[in-house]
Amino acid sequence: MDKVSWITVYPEVVLLVMACVIALVDLSVKSPRRTGTYVLTLLSLGVVAVLQGLYATGNTTLYGFNNMVVSDPMGNWLKCFATISVMVTLVYARPYSGDRGMLRGGELFTLSMFALLGMSVMISGNNFLVIYMGLELLTLSSYALVALRRDNAVASEAAMKYFVLGALASGFLLYGLSMLYGATGSLDLTQVFEAAASGQVKHQVLVFGLVFIVAGLAFKLGVVPFHMWVPDVYHGAPTAITLMIAGAPKLAAFAIVIRLLVEGLLPLAFDWQQMLAVLAIASLLIGNLAAIVQSNLKRMLAYSTISQMGFVLLGLLSGVVNGNTLSAANAYSSAMFYVVTYVLTTLASFGVLLLLAREGFESDEVTDLAGLNQRSPLYAAVMGICMFSLAGIPPMVGFYAKLSVLQALVASGEALYVALAVFAVVMSLIGAFYYLRVVKVMYFDAPITATTVSAPLDVRAVLSVNGALVLLLGIVPGGLMALCAQAIVLTLGT
């Protein structure tokens, strides 16, 4: 292979090598807390994140391995953010996992690195098979992570549900990709785009394959009606693994939606936009209404995720108006900004839950946060900031994320999109109820325990920075917005 091909995948090669090295080194680690494995994992991920950041700031697009892999600004930034997300997740997860016997071996660290490798391959894929290979590496690692707590029946049940439904969704996606391959004669996204735009391929065949692809993507995003796994897996999995599933994989899912629907199937935009509109409406409605009645925090955040992904779909579907792509950069960058800030907020909110959990106590009920402000004002403030952000209340970053998506919808000038923007605002008002209920419980209810909240220094430091970023990026959102816009423009050429 030529040198350029290897340059495109250097970060992935480093990640793969270090994952294998860590798996071998862990065999000699005797500490029950796996301190050596933990430190080596964070150092390895730090190196990979720096490499990906350098690639991203280079603002260049490179193709390798016969155009099967692409290294572009959007992909590199998403990979960088995903790597940082996994690093933060492992920092939060280590004390929790150690208390529950999940660190008896180094599987948590090696499986997390292989899951991240799957995300990186997904994001870099410029070919149906490469994207699918990355997706399967991520999902298989995720199944194993959910079942990592072997002595817990609830976690095992969640892993089984995730495996069965995930296999079904993968089958949908693979069937759709095979239909498109049969219709266009190529697995390469660029050639599929050209074949779809030529008008020589039967439209009905393309749409038939597109339906299965959108169904598979909808499952990975966790949107209605392919959402049934989200609350069960979020609730049943150990909270540390719930965060692993709820965070970084959303960035990879966003990337493959852009790769498949925008870079590969933009000539079919009219068809997939209608599908995304239905999915977005259903997700906003069911996600918010179902979350209201949840007493379990993890299930509430699961339904919250469904509604938040509905907003991402609104940004994605507003990029093309009557065949005109003038608003594409604005729309897709708003969706990218939304998913990045959502992951940032999710990390902090689950980080607080992990910090509050202790041996024999999960702290995953809304009532478990009662009087948190009296026990720990700092952690109550971080959780409050996250709830305000998810609700879309200024000056938190979630407000600007929602505003950017709504602005993209209204800027399209389409009456349908304006109506969708109004509907999204109404659903956000409904959603504010269950977010503010958490704030009310923390600040106005009497504490049910006098237990003080303690955490290792690294967890406290990372959580404080994480919460501060949710607030700071809300006060000064311009830098991240400009970064997302530049990455989209340089990648898609819009």
Side-chain angles (χ1 to χ4, degrees):
M1 286 292 175
D2 59 285
K3 185 179 179 181
V4 174
S5 292
W6 288 109
I7 289 175
T8 59
V9 294
Y10 273 158
E12 286 75 20
V13 171
V14 172
L15 184 59
L16 174 61
V17 170
M18 290 312 301
C20 296
V21 168
I22 287 168
L24 293 173
V25 168
D26 184 73
L27 295 174
S28 62
V29 175
K30 303 300 182 184
S31 167
R33 291 280 175 172
R34 286 304 193 267
T35 304
T37 309
Y38 170 71
V39 172
L40 184 58
T41 301
L42 290 189
L43 288 174
S44 303
L45 292 177
V47 170
V48 172
V50 170
L51 268 176
Q52 291 163 341
L54 291 173
Y55 273 53
T57 53
N59 292 331
T60 56
T61 299
L62 299 173
Y63 292 89
F65 299 96
N66 293 322
N67 287 337
M68 294 176 70
V69 174
V70 60
S71 171
D72 54 28
M74 181 197 77
N76 288 320
W77 278 121
L78 287 173
K79 286 188 284 186
C80 181
F81 293 147
T83 304
I84 294 171
S85 174
V86 172
M87 290 176 68
V88 172
T89 300
L90 291 176
V91 171
Y92 293 157
R94 183 169 170 250
Y96 174 96
S97 303
D99 290 341
R100 285 154 183 78
M102 294 164 60
L103 295 180
R104 285 191 290 260
E107 295 96 337
L108 174 65
F109 303 107
T110 51
L111 285 172
S112 297
M113 293 186 76
F114 280 118
L116 178 61
L117 179 61
M119 296 177 221
S120 299
V121 174
M122 285 167 65
I123 295 170
S124 300
N126 193 47
N127 180 284
F128 288 161
L129 286 181
V130 174
I131 291 173
Y132 188 75
M133 182 176 66
L135 180 63
E136 286 306 293
L137 179 55
L138 167 61
T139 52
L140 290 172
S141 301
S142 300
Y143 302 151
L145 282 168
V146 173
L148 194 58
R149 199 174 172 190
R150 304 177 187 87
D151 56 349
N152 188 285
V154 178
S156 299
E157 180 188 348
M160 285 296 292
K161 289 177 179 177
Y162 194 16
F163 174 73
V164 172
L165 294 172
L168 182 65
S170 294
F172 279 161
L173 184 61
L174 188 60
Y175 186 65
L177 295 176
S178 66
M179 287 291 295
L180 286 181
Y181 171 64
T184 62
S186 177
L187 296 169
D188 186 273
L189 287 176
T190 306
Q191 293 178 26
V192 169
F193 177 92
E194 293 170 353
S198 68
Q200 297 176 359
V201 182
K202 211 168 190 179
H203 185 72
Q204 290 88 339
V205 178
L206 291 174
V207 172
F208 189 70
L210 179 64
V211 169
F212 284 95
I213 288 175
V214 171
L217 294 176
F219 179 91
K220 300 307 173 188
L221 286 169
V223 295
V224 178
F226 305 96
H227 68 292
M228 65 289 290
W229 66 275
V230 180
D232 286 343
V233 174
Y234 273 43
H235 185 199
T239 307
I241 307 306
T242 302
L243 177 53
M244 188 68 71
I245 294 168
K250 293 295 185 286
L251 298 168
F254 169 81
I256 62 168
V257 171
I258 292 289
R259 297 287 188 220
L260 292 174
L261 298 186
V262 178
E263 293 189 348
L265 298 170
L266 194 62
L268 302 176
F270 179 76
D271 300 292
W272 56 254
Q273 281 174 322
Q274 295 179 73
M275 300 178 201
L276 296 190
V278 173
L279 295 175
I281 292 169
S283 299
L284 287 167
L285 182 63
I286 293 175
N288 283 308
L289 293 180
I292 288 174
V293 299
Q294 303 302 320
S295 60
N296 183 277
L297 260 172
K298 286 161 72 175
R299 291 189 79 88
M300 189 203 83
L301 290 172
Y303 284 108
S304 159
T305 296
I306 294 167
S307 67
Q308 300 287 344
M309 290 301 104
F311 256 97
V312 174
L313 293 184
L314 290 179
L316 289 167
L317 66 87
S318 59
V320 181
V321 182
N322 296 324
N324 190 329
T325 60
L326 290 177
S327 60
N330 184 29
Y332 300 143
S333 63
S334 72
M336 180 176 171
F337 178 76
Y338 197 103
V339 76
V340 169
T341 55
Y342 163 76
V343 170
L344 177 69
T345 310
T346 296
L347 288 170
S349 56
F350 274 100
V352 174
L353 295 186
L354 286 167
L355 186 148
L356 296 177
R358 56 187 183 275
E359 192 169 357
F361 179 70
E362 286 299 314
S363 186
D364 60 356
E365 297 290 328
V366 174
T367 52
D368 293 335
L369 297 183
L372 180 60
N373 182 54
Q374 298 176 38
R375 294 187 287 142
S376 174
L378 172 62
Y379 304 138
V382 172
M383 192 67 168
I385 287 171
C386 292
M387 293 299 105
F388 283 133
S389 181
L390 291 170
I393 297 174
M396 310 308 163
V397 71
F399 168 75
Y400 289 97
K402 284 181 166 59
L403 183 65
S404 63
V405 169
L406 295 173
Q407 180 266 335
L409 284 167
V410 174
S412 67
E414 283 285 293
L416 173 62
Y417 292 170
V418 174
L420 284 175
V422 173
F423 176 76
V425 170
V426 174
M427 289 298 104
S428 294
L429 291 174
I430 294 174
F433 169 80
Y434 56 84
Y435 293 123
L436 296 181
R437 180 180 61 186
V438 175
V439 177
K440 175 260 181 189
V441 167
M442 290 192 301
Y443 281 88
F444 298 105
D445 286 11
I448 57 176
T449 176
T451 306
T452 56
V453 181
S454 61
L457 177 61
D458 56 343
V459 177
R460 292 201 305 273
V462 173
L463 186 62
S464 300
V465 172
N466 195 340
L469 279 175
V470 175
L471 176 59
L472 184 63
L473 287 174
I475 298 171
V476 191
L480 183 57
M481 283 182 167
L483 183 149
C484 293
Q486 183 187 40
I488 291 292
V489 168
L490 291 173
T491 299
L492 302 180
T494 53

